Amino acid sequence: MLRILNKIRRIGIVTETPPRDREIEALGKTVRRHIDRRFRGSLAIRQVDAGSCNGCELEIHALNNPYYDIERFGVHFVASPRHADALLVTGPVSRHMETALRRTWRATPAPKIVIAAGSCACDGGEFGVSYASCGAVENVIPVDVKIPGCPPAPADLLKGILSALRASTSTQGK
Amino acid sequence: MSGFRWLHDYLAALEGEHVVLREEADPHTLPPAHRLMVDGEDWGSAAKVSAAFGHRHAGVWGEHIGDWIIVRACLAFEGDYLVLETPVSPQRPVLPSHSPYYSGIDRLERHLQDMLGVAFLDHPDSRRWTRHQAWPEGSYPLRHESPASGTPPKRTPADSDYPFVEVLGSGVYQIPVGPVHAGIIEPGHFRFHAVGEDVLRLEQRLGYVHKGIEKIAEGRDPEGLARLAGRISGDTTVAHTWAACMAMERAYDVSVPPLALAIRAILAERERIANHLGDIGAICNDVGFAFAHMQCARLREQWQRGNQSVFGHRLLMDRIVPGGVFRTLTYQCAELLKTQNQDLSKELDSLLPILEDQPSLQDRLANTGVLAAEDARRLGVTGYVGKASGMDYDVRRDHAYAPYDRLTVESPCLSAGDVAARVQVRASEIRHSLGLLNCLMENLPKGPVQAEWTQPAKAIEGIGVVEGWRGEIVTYVRLGEDGRVQRFFARDPSWFSWPALEQLIHGNIVADFPVCNKSVNASYSGHDL
């Protein structure tokens, strides 16, 4: 036990502030304000793999590692679409996942922001449309924001989630 | 490699079973595998002889060529690979099954049945497997007449009437899980039958992420195929791309420069380490030991950042290309990699003993999810799942391909078969991979990293066998005269570790499924294709 405590003490906190680029800093502040106002400080995301190769999932996992620790921005991943404010969908939508994705979307309460993460989710990527694949997520459910990349790096995912929030908040304001 | 010392006796045994070998196939056209062509009616007898010899079944796949469906089975023994081949008529596509002798081959045969319409006699389970509702019964996506675009329904319904096997009895209840899981995980369906807390039976239903990879590979050029292979399973992008490139390079007899081979091995070992790190942490997390989860996640992130700065991609996608690798390693990059090796070694020196000596952790992992050695052998499981259950096989050591043929590859093998053993195997694989990386970095060859890609205008085929981080990958590629892909099949090790999970969960409590599942971590995407 002492060794564990010692290790924790020596490593300290490695969580980074987001990359120090002005755009993100500004976006971060605005978004934090939007989350506070609109989602009472917490945005719940349900991740749905609709046919991905698992590459995007690895990078979404990384958002929870101590370097990014996305929960400090008020963003957390939930187990049920019924608890979610937003869906983070990866993969080209395989035909075998089409109905599951629609049902997940229907189970999500408004505002159900949909974020398509990764090249496949944006435009079908390497898989496109075929007998087995519906291609882009927007071919199946309405999409609010797209995050390209194969796979998008954690920082890109973070930016995408933040801009989805901003977009949704401004839509609601109209 | 034994060099087929057993082949003579095997051929004699086939003759004893009255298996007729057809003359038209040259046994040496699929190096390093040995190819034998048998009659359809002898297909089952050949498997019976192989099983008696103790061969491991490494996969079965088919292909529609001209007026025939050619079915191929790959068997491994003493580091050698044997490919059995038989033609089947598309009008009467019936073959004896290999499943009675090799239960692990069950799902691959059902995949072949759904994709090409080959029916297997004596198959214990003829239910559909890869097919859900995207294409109708009686239509086969890999046949010539089926276009890649298919004729899908406007909306594909859920596969809600799949006939699961039911367990009946007093107090037995079902828990359906998935396809959309609670975490950030790939989709699939698990049907548990339980009494109280104990799992009586787990039945998996996969195929949800079937993306038609085999079909959309058709017509691609070698670069395009390499890109696709790198997306069969995103966590295994290096190994799958390597296997696909190896198959094409063997087909065209392209010799990859030594420096490119060394860089490929560096990429593959880095991929192995990254995945083992992440999984060891996640396994500990599944029994509530968050400390290890955070420490491993931290190390994995540092490792991936190293990938980004040296190779330009956090998961190392598209770094291997046909004929070599995408770019050379600069002196600065090599130094950075060496530093990262040393740093990680030091970190593990302090972290791993903490995990190994933690009684409350070991108490949860020991005797949990035991895969009996007999089951591992029967299913033909490779990789850490096999190695933790007495399957002492590693392609890098036992069927050594360059550059591993010049290295000493150590491979752990344990017998306990529980989650603890799988963690132990993974931890020692990380250690061994670090050793290999140091060795590779110390002796980096000089020279180009791309072979000249010569493409003779003839139809040609090749096979690639690579030890991915999950275990053995077998990839078959056939290219046409125009240099375009006509058939691509990649057999991920998950085809065998998925059924192993169904076995090892028996008698465990439902709540231990996550940790058992994570300790196996079979790929959905790599399996569903």
Side-chain angles (χ1 to χ4, degrees), chain B residues 166-201:
Chain B
E166 282 201 53
V167 180
L168 300 173
S170 138
V172 179
Y173 64 99
Q174 291 189 16
I175 311 172
V177 180
V180 180
H181 293 154
I184 300 167
I185 326 175
E186 298 181 83
H189 182 91
F190 299 122
R191 185 64 60 97
F192 293 94
H193 282 84
V195 167
E197 283 194 290
D198 297 330
V199 178
L200 289 181
R201 180 187 162 85

mmCIF file of all heavy atoms in Angstrom, chain B residues 166-201:
data_model
loop_
_atom_site.group_PDB
_atom_site.id
_atom_site.type_symbol
_atom_site.label_atom_id
_atom_site.label_comp_id
_atom_site.label_asym_id
_atom_site.label_seq_id
_atom_site.Cartn_x
_atom_site.Cartn_y
_atom_site.Cartn_z
ATOM 1 N N GLU B 166 -31.653 -22.094 -26.101
ATOM 2 C CA GLU B 166 -32.235 -21.754 -24.802
ATOM 3 C C GLU B 166 -31.873 -22.780 -23.740
ATOM 4 O O GLU B 166 -31.853 -23.968 -23.998
ATOM 5 C CB GLU B 166 -33.753 -21.661 -24.921
ATOM 6 C CG GLU B 166 -34.172 -20.352 -25.550
ATOM 7 C CD GLU B 166 -35.614 -20.023 -25.225
ATOM 8 O OE1 GLU B 166 -35.972 -20.015 -24.030
ATOM 9 O OE2 GLU B 166 -36.370 -19.806 -26.173
ATOM 10 N N VAL B 167 -31.582 -22.268 -22.571
ATOM 11 C CA VAL B 167 -31.355 -23.153 -21.441
ATOM 12 C C VAL B 167 -32.630 -23.152 -20.614
ATOM 13 O O VAL B 167 -33.126 -22.093 -20.245
ATOM 14 C CB VAL B 167 -30.173 -22.658 -20.582
ATOM 15 C CG1 VAL B 167 -29.949 -23.587 -19.399
ATOM 16 C CG2 VAL B 167 -28.911 -22.549 -21.417
ATOM 17 N N LEU B 168 -33.170 -24.322 -20.388
ATOM 18 C CA LEU B 168 -34.416 -24.393 -19.633
ATOM 19 C C LEU B 168 -34.133 -24.973 -18.247
ATOM 20 O O LEU B 168 -33.176 -25.708 -18.060
ATOM 21 C CB LEU B 168 -35.435 -25.277 -20.369
ATOM 22 C CG LEU B 168 -35.797 -24.791 -21.771
ATOM 23 C CD1 LEU B 168 -36.673 -25.813 -22.480
ATOM 24 C CD2 LEU B 168 -36.513 -23.442 -21.712
ATOM 25 N N GLY B 169 -34.957 -24.636 -17.312
ATOM 26 C CA GLY B 169 -34.777 -25.177 -15.974
ATOM 27 C C GLY B 169 -35.276 -24.192 -14.951
ATOM 28 O O GLY B 169 -35.449 -23.001 -15.251
ATOM 29 N N SER B 170 -35.479 -24.682 -13.743
ATOM 30 C CA SER B 170 -36.048 -23.810 -12.735
ATOM 31 C C SER B 170 -35.037 -22.754 -12.310
ATOM 32 O O SER B 170 -33.867 -23.054 -12.033
ATOM 33 C CB SER B 170 -36.519 -24.704 -11.574
ATOM 34 O OG SER B 170 -36.197 -24.140 -10.372
ATOM 35 N N GLY B 171 -35.476 -21.512 -12.314
ATOM 36 C CA GLY B 171 -34.609 -20.417 -11.877
ATOM 37 C C GLY B 171 -33.649 -19.906 -12.931
ATOM 38 O O GLY B 171 -32.846 -19.013 -12.670
ATOM 39 N N VAL B 172 -33.710 -20.469 -14.152
ATOM 40 C CA VAL B 172 -32.798 -19.988 -15.199
ATOM 41 C C VAL B 172 -33.379 -18.730 -15.831
ATOM 42 O O VAL B 172 -34.555 -18.685 -16.165
ATOM 43 C CB VAL B 172 -32.611 -21.051 -16.308
ATOM 44 C CG1 VAL B 172 -31.688 -20.523 -17.400
ATOM 45 C CG2 VAL B 172 -32.058 -22.331 -15.722
ATOM 46 N N TYR B 173 -32.571 -17.703 -15.942
ATOM 47 C CA TYR B 173 -33.037 -16.495 -16.600
ATOM 48 C C TYR B 173 -32.010 -16.034 -17.628
ATOM 49 O O TYR B 173 -30.856 -16.458 -17.596
ATOM 50 C CB TYR B 173 -33.322 -15.389 -15.586
ATOM 51 C CG TYR B 173 -32.106 -14.924 -14.827
ATOM 52 C CD1 TYR B 173 -31.429 -13.768 -15.211
ATOM 53 C CD2 TYR B 173 -31.633 -15.637 -13.726
ATOM 54 C CE1 TYR B 173 -30.303 -13.346 -14.525
ATOM 55 C CE2 TYR B 173 -30.511 -15.223 -13.034
ATOM 56 C CZ TYR B 173 -29.847 -14.080 -13.439
ATOM 57 O OH TYR B 173 -28.718 -13.669 -12.761
ATOM 58 N N GLN B 174 -32.494 -15.184 -18.570
ATOM 59 C CA GLN B 174 -31.607 -14.704 -19.637
ATOM 60 C C GLN B 174 -31.242 -13.251 -19.396
ATOM 61 O O GLN B 174 -32.066 -12.473 -18.926
ATOM 62 C CB GLN B 174 -32.323 -14.769 -20.990
ATOM 63 C CG GLN B 174 -32.592 -16.156 -21.493
ATOM 64 C CD GLN B 174 -33.091 -16.141 -22.935
ATOM 65 O OE1 GLN B 174 -32.969 -15.146 -23.645
ATOM 66 N NE2 GLN B 174 -33.656 -17.249 -23.365
ATOM 67 N N ILE B 175 -30.021 -12.883 -19.779
ATOM 68 C CA ILE B 175 -29.651 -11.467 -19.800
ATOM 69 C C ILE B 175 -29.171 -11.153 -21.215
ATOM 70 O O ILE B 175 -28.132 -11.656 -21.638
ATOM 71 C CB ILE B 175 -28.507 -11.147 -18.822
ATOM 72 C CG1 ILE B 175 -28.782 -11.737 -17.433
ATOM 73 C CG2 ILE B 175 -28.278 -9.634 -18.735
ATOM 74 C CD1 ILE B 175 -27.606 -11.608 -16.477
ATOM 75 N N PRO B 176 -29.951 -10.382 -21.966
ATOM 76 C CA PRO B 176 -29.462 -9.976 -23.282
ATOM 77 C C PRO B 176 -28.634 -8.701 -23.155
ATOM 78 O O PRO B 176 -29.062 -7.754 -22.507
ATOM 79 C CB PRO B 176 -30.751 -9.712 -24.063
ATOM 80 C CG PRO B 176 -31.797 -9.445 -23.024
ATOM 81 C CD PRO B 176 -31.292 -9.865 -21.686
ATOM 82 N N VAL B 177 -27.453 -8.680 -23.740
ATOM 83 C CA VAL B 177 -26.577 -7.506 -23.664
ATOM 84 C C VAL B 177 -26.155 -7.103 -25.071
ATOM 85 O O VAL B 177 -25.609 -7.918 -25.803
ATOM 86 C CB VAL B 177 -25.309 -7.804 -22.820
ATOM 87 C CG1 VAL B 177 -24.413 -6.588 -22.760
ATOM 88 C CG2 VAL B 177 -25.670 -8.267 -21.428
ATOM 89 N N GLY B 178 -26.381 -5.866 -25.436
ATOM 90 C CA GLY B 178 -25.915 -5.369 -26.722
ATOM 91 C C GLY B 178 -26.966 -5.494 -27.809
ATOM 92 O O GLY B 178 -28.055 -5.967 -27.536
ATOM 93 N N PRO B 179 -26.674 -5.032 -29.021
ATOM 94 C CA PRO B 179 -25.340 -4.722 -29.557
ATOM 95 C C PRO B 179 -24.713 -3.432 -29.015
ATOM 96 O O PRO B 179 -23.493 -3.350 -28.988
ATOM 97 C CB PRO B 179 -25.570 -4.586 -31.067
ATOM 98 C CG PRO B 179 -26.993 -4.166 -31.187
ATOM 99 C CD PRO B 179 -27.706 -4.866 -30.077
ATOM 100 N N VAL B 180 -25.504 -2.416 -28.638
ATOM 101 C CA VAL B 180 -24.870 -1.199 -28.123
ATOM 102 C C VAL B 180 -24.541 -1.449 -26.657
ATOM 103 O O VAL B 180 -25.433 -1.652 -25.844
ATOM 104 C CB VAL B 180 -25.799 0.023 -28.277
ATOM 105 C CG1 VAL B 180 -25.130 1.268 -27.731
ATOM 106 C CG2 VAL B 180 -26.153 0.231 -29.742
ATOM 107 N N HIS B 181 -23.250 -1.499 -26.340
ATOM 108 C CA HIS B 181 -22.818 -1.808 -24.982
ATOM 109 C C HIS B 181 -22.755 -0.563 -24.113
ATOM 110 O O HIS B 181 -22.821 0.553 -24.601
ATOM 111 C CB HIS B 181 -21.459 -2.502 -25.007
ATOM 112 C CG HIS B 181 -21.499 -3.861 -25.629
ATOM 113 N ND1 HIS B 181 -20.420 -4.443 -26.227
ATOM 114 C CD2 HIS B 181 -22.516 -4.752 -25.746
ATOM 115 C CE1 HIS B 181 -20.749 -5.639 -26.686
ATOM 116 N NE2 HIS B 181 -22.019 -5.843 -26.413
ATOM 117 N N ALA B 182 -22.580 -0.792 -22.816
ATOM 118 C CA ALA B 182 -22.606 0.334 -21.887
ATOM 119 C C ALA B 182 -21.365 1.213 -21.967
ATOM 120 O O ALA B 182 -21.419 2.398 -21.678
ATOM 121 C CB ALA B 182 -22.790 -0.184 -20.466
ATOM 122 N N GLY B 183 -20.249 0.664 -22.351
ATOM 123 C CA GLY B 183 -19.022 1.453 -22.352
ATOM 124 C C GLY B 183 -18.671 1.966 -23.738
ATOM 125 O O GLY B 183 -19.515 1.996 -24.631
ATOM 126 N N ILE B 184 -17.424 2.350 -23.896
ATOM 127 C CA ILE B 184 -16.934 2.791 -25.205
ATOM 128 C C ILE B 184 -16.310 1.553 -25.841
ATOM 129 O O ILE B 184 -15.109 1.329 -25.782
ATOM 130 C CB ILE B 184 -15.931 3.950 -25.044
ATOM 131 C CG1 ILE B 184 -16.614 5.118 -24.344
ATOM 132 C CG2 ILE B 184 -15.371 4.378 -26.397
ATOM 133 C CD1 ILE B 184 -15.664 6.197 -23.855
ATOM 134 N N ILE B 185 -17.183 0.695 -26.365
ATOM 135 C CA ILE B 185 -16.748 -0.617 -26.858
ATOM 136 C C ILE B 185 -17.421 -0.885 -28.198
ATOM 137 O O ILE B 185 -18.446 -0.308 -28.521
ATOM 138 C CB ILE B 185 -17.170 -1.757 -25.903
ATOM 139 C CG1 ILE B 185 -17.147 -1.290 -24.447
ATOM 140 C CG2 ILE B 185 -16.253 -2.952 -26.062
ATOM 141 C CD1 ILE B 185 -17.668 -2.321 -23.488
ATOM 142 N N GLU B 186 -16.859 -1.834 -28.933
ATOM 143 C CA GLU B 186 -17.449 -2.212 -30.208
ATOM 144 C C GLU B 186 -18.780 -2.937 -29.971
ATOM 145 O O GLU B 186 -19.010 -3.477 -28.897
ATOM 146 C CB GLU B 186 -16.487 -3.142 -30.946
ATOM 147 C CG GLU B 186 -15.155 -2.507 -31.282
ATOM 148 C CD GLU B 186 -14.259 -3.470 -32.026
ATOM 149 O OE1 GLU B 186 -14.406 -3.589 -33.244
ATOM 150 O OE2 GLU B 186 -13.424 -4.121 -31.390
ATOM 151 N N PRO B 187 -19.643 -2.986 -30.972
ATOM 152 C CA PRO B 187 -20.946 -3.607 -30.769
ATOM 153 C C PRO B 187 -20.988 -5.109 -31.067
ATOM 154 O O PRO B 187 -20.325 -5.602 -31.961
ATOM 155 C CB PRO B 187 -21.851 -2.856 -31.756
ATOM 156 C CG PRO B 187 -20.933 -2.421 -32.849
ATOM 157 C CD PRO B 187 -19.552 -2.310 -32.278
ATOM 158 N N GLY B 188 -21.785 -5.794 -30.286
ATOM 159 C CA GLY B 188 -22.012 -7.221 -30.453
ATOM 160 C C GLY B 188 -23.065 -7.612 -29.440
ATOM 161 O O GLY B 188 -23.408 -6.818 -28.561
ATOM 162 N N HIS B 189 -23.610 -8.814 -29.561
ATOM 163 C CA HIS B 189 -24.661 -9.205 -28.625
ATOM 164 C C HIS B 189 -24.201 -10.412 -27.805
ATOM 165 O O HIS B 189 -23.658 -11.363 -28.346
ATOM 166 C CB HIS B 189 -25.941 -9.560 -29.387
ATOM 167 C CG HIS B 189 -27.092 -9.923 -28.499
ATOM 168 N ND1 HIS B 189 -27.987 -8.977 -28.055
ATOM 169 C CD2 HIS B 189 -27.469 -11.100 -27.954
ATOM 170 C CE1 HIS B 189 -28.885 -9.574 -27.279
ATOM 171 N NE2 HIS B 189 -28.589 -10.857 -27.207
ATOM 172 N N PHE B 190 -24.436 -10.329 -26.507
ATOM 173 C CA PHE B 190 -24.145 -11.462 -25.624
ATOM 174 C C PHE B 190 -25.443 -11.919 -24.987
ATOM 175 O O PHE B 190 -26.165 -11.108 -24.409
ATOM 176 C CB PHE B 190 -23.154 -11.071 -24.525
ATOM 177 C CG PHE B 190 -21.829 -10.607 -25.056
ATOM 178 C CD1 PHE B 190 -21.333 -9.341 -24.745
ATOM 179 C CD2 PHE B 190 -21.069 -11.422 -25.875
ATOM 180 C CE1 PHE B 190 -20.111 -8.912 -25.239
ATOM 181 C CE2 PHE B 190 -19.842 -10.995 -26.370
ATOM 182 C CZ PHE B 190 -19.365 -9.741 -26.049
ATOM 183 N N ARG B 191 -25.734 -13.203 -25.105
ATOM 184 C CA ARG B 191 -26.931 -13.740 -24.474
ATOM 185 C C ARG B 191 -26.478 -14.649 -23.324
ATOM 186 O O ARG B 191 -25.903 -15.708 -23.551
ATOM 187 C CB ARG B 191 -27.735 -14.548 -25.507
ATOM 188 C CG ARG B 191 -29.069 -15.050 -25.002
ATOM 189 C CD ARG B 191 -30.020 -13.911 -24.667
ATOM 190 N NE ARG B 191 -30.335 -13.039 -25.780
ATOM 191 C CZ ARG B 191 -31.430 -13.140 -26.542
ATOM 192 N NH1 ARG B 191 -32.300 -14.078 -26.306
ATOM 193 N NH2 ARG B 191 -31.639 -12.270 -27.521
ATOM 194 N N PHE B 192 -26.691 -14.156 -22.110
ATOM 195 C CA PHE B 192 -26.314 -14.958 -20.941
ATOM 196 C C PHE B 192 -27.509 -15.756 -20.456
ATOM 197 O O PHE B 192 -28.630 -15.253 -20.433
ATOM 198 C CB PHE B 192 -25.880 -14.047 -19.783
ATOM 199 C CG PHE B 192 -24.618 -13.290 -20.040
ATOM 200 C CD1 PHE B 192 -24.661 -12.001 -20.550
ATOM 201 C CD2 PHE B 192 -23.387 -13.858 -19.761
ATOM 202 C CE1 PHE B 192 -23.494 -11.291 -20.782
ATOM 203 C CE2 PHE B 192 -22.209 -13.151 -19.980
ATOM 204 C CZ PHE B 192 -22.271 -11.866 -20.501
ATOM 205 N N HIS B 193 -27.256 -16.977 -20.045
ATOM 206 C CA HIS B 193 -28.221 -17.734 -19.269
ATOM 207 C C HIS B 193 -27.594 -17.911 -17.902
ATOM 208 O O HIS B 193 -26.450 -18.351 -17.801
ATOM 209 C CB HIS B 193 -28.497 -19.109 -19.892
ATOM 210 C CG HIS B 193 -29.415 -19.033 -21.070
ATOM 211 N ND1 HIS B 193 -28.972 -18.745 -22.335
ATOM 212 C CD2 HIS B 193 -30.751 -19.190 -21.176
ATOM 213 C CE1 HIS B 193 -30.002 -18.740 -23.174
ATOM 214 N NE2 HIS B 193 -31.096 -18.997 -22.494
ATOM 215 N N ALA B 194 -28.332 -17.538 -16.863
ATOM 216 C CA ALA B 194 -27.740 -17.579 -15.532
ATOM 217 C C ALA B 194 -28.725 -18.150 -14.536
ATOM 218 O O ALA B 194 -29.945 -18.136 -14.738
ATOM 219 C CB ALA B 194 -27.330 -16.173 -15.117
ATOM 220 N N VAL B 195 -28.165 -18.682 -13.459
ATOM 221 C CA VAL B 195 -28.974 -19.056 -12.297
ATOM 222 C C VAL B 195 -28.353 -18.328 -11.127
ATOM 223 O O VAL B 195 -27.160 -18.504 -10.861
ATOM 224 C CB VAL B 195 -28.951 -20.578 -12.049
ATOM 225 C CG1 VAL B 195 -29.520 -20.887 -10.669
ATOM 226 C CG2 VAL B 195 -29.760 -21.301 -13.098
ATOM 227 N N GLY B 196 -29.134 -17.508 -10.473
ATOM 228 C CA GLY B 196 -28.549 -16.673 -9.425
ATOM 229 C C GLY B 196 -27.479 -15.807 -10.063
ATOM 230 O O GLY B 196 -27.727 -15.149 -11.072
ATOM 231 N N GLU B 197 -26.282 -15.868 -9.518
ATOM 232 C CA GLU B 197 -25.203 -15.071 -10.091
ATOM 233 C C GLU B 197 -24.361 -15.837 -11.104
ATOM 234 O O GLU B 197 -23.525 -15.257 -11.783
ATOM 235 C CB GLU B 197 -24.277 -14.592 -8.962
ATOM 236 C CG GLU B 197 -24.819 -13.435 -8.167
ATOM 237 C CD GLU B 197 -23.733 -12.810 -7.323
ATOM 238 O OE1 GLU B 197 -23.296 -13.456 -6.358
ATOM 239 O OE2 GLU B 197 -23.314 -11.697 -7.649
ATOM 240 N N ASP B 198 -24.537 -17.161 -11.165
ATOM 241 C CA ASP B 198 -23.630 -17.975 -11.983
ATOM 242 C C ASP B 198 -24.046 -18.047 -13.446
ATOM 243 O O ASP B 198 -25.217 -18.278 -13.749
ATOM 244 C CB ASP B 198 -23.554 -19.399 -11.423
ATOM 245 C CG ASP B 198 -22.969 -19.411 -10.015
ATOM 246 O OD1 ASP B 198 -22.153 -18.520 -9.731
ATOM 247 O OD2 ASP B 198 -23.352 -20.285 -9.216
ATOM 248 N N VAL B 199 -23.075 -17.894 -14.319
ATOM 249 C CA VAL B 199 -23.337 -18.010 -15.756
ATOM 250 C C VAL B 199 -23.405 -19.496 -16.120
ATOM 251 O O VAL B 199 -22.465 -20.241 -15.877
ATOM 252 C CB VAL B 199 -22.221 -17.337 -16.579
ATOM 253 C CG1 VAL B 199 -22.480 -17.501 -18.067
ATOM 254 C CG2 VAL B 199 -22.100 -15.868 -16.221
ATOM 255 N N LEU B 200 -24.545 -19.902 -16.688
ATOM 256 C CA LEU B 200 -24.669 -21.287 -17.150
ATOM 257 C C LEU B 200 -24.168 -21.403 -18.577
ATOM 258 O O LEU B 200 -23.571 -22.381 -18.971
ATOM 259 C CB LEU B 200 -26.141 -21.720 -17.134
ATOM 260 C CG LEU B 200 -26.806 -21.948 -15.800
ATOM 261 C CD1 LEU B 200 -28.239 -22.391 -16.026
ATOM 262 C CD2 LEU B 200 -26.055 -23.013 -15.016
ATOM 263 N N ARG B 201 -24.483 -20.375 -19.348
ATOM 264 C CA ARG B 201 -24.123 -20.420 -20.757
ATOM 265 C C ARG B 201 -24.034 -19.002 -21.289
ATOM 266 O O ARG B 201 -24.845 -18.139 -20.944
ATOM 267 C CB ARG B 201 -25.198 -21.186 -21.535
ATOM 268 C CG ARG B 201 -24.920 -21.304 -23.016
ATOM 269 C CD ARG B 201 -26.100 -21.916 -23.764
ATOM 270 N NE ARG B 201 -25.974 -21.629 -25.194
ATOM 271 C CZ ARG B 201 -25.257 -22.371 -26.040
ATOM 272 N NH1 ARG B 201 -24.647 -23.449 -25.637
ATOM 273 N NH2 ARG B 201 -25.164 -22.039 -27.318
#
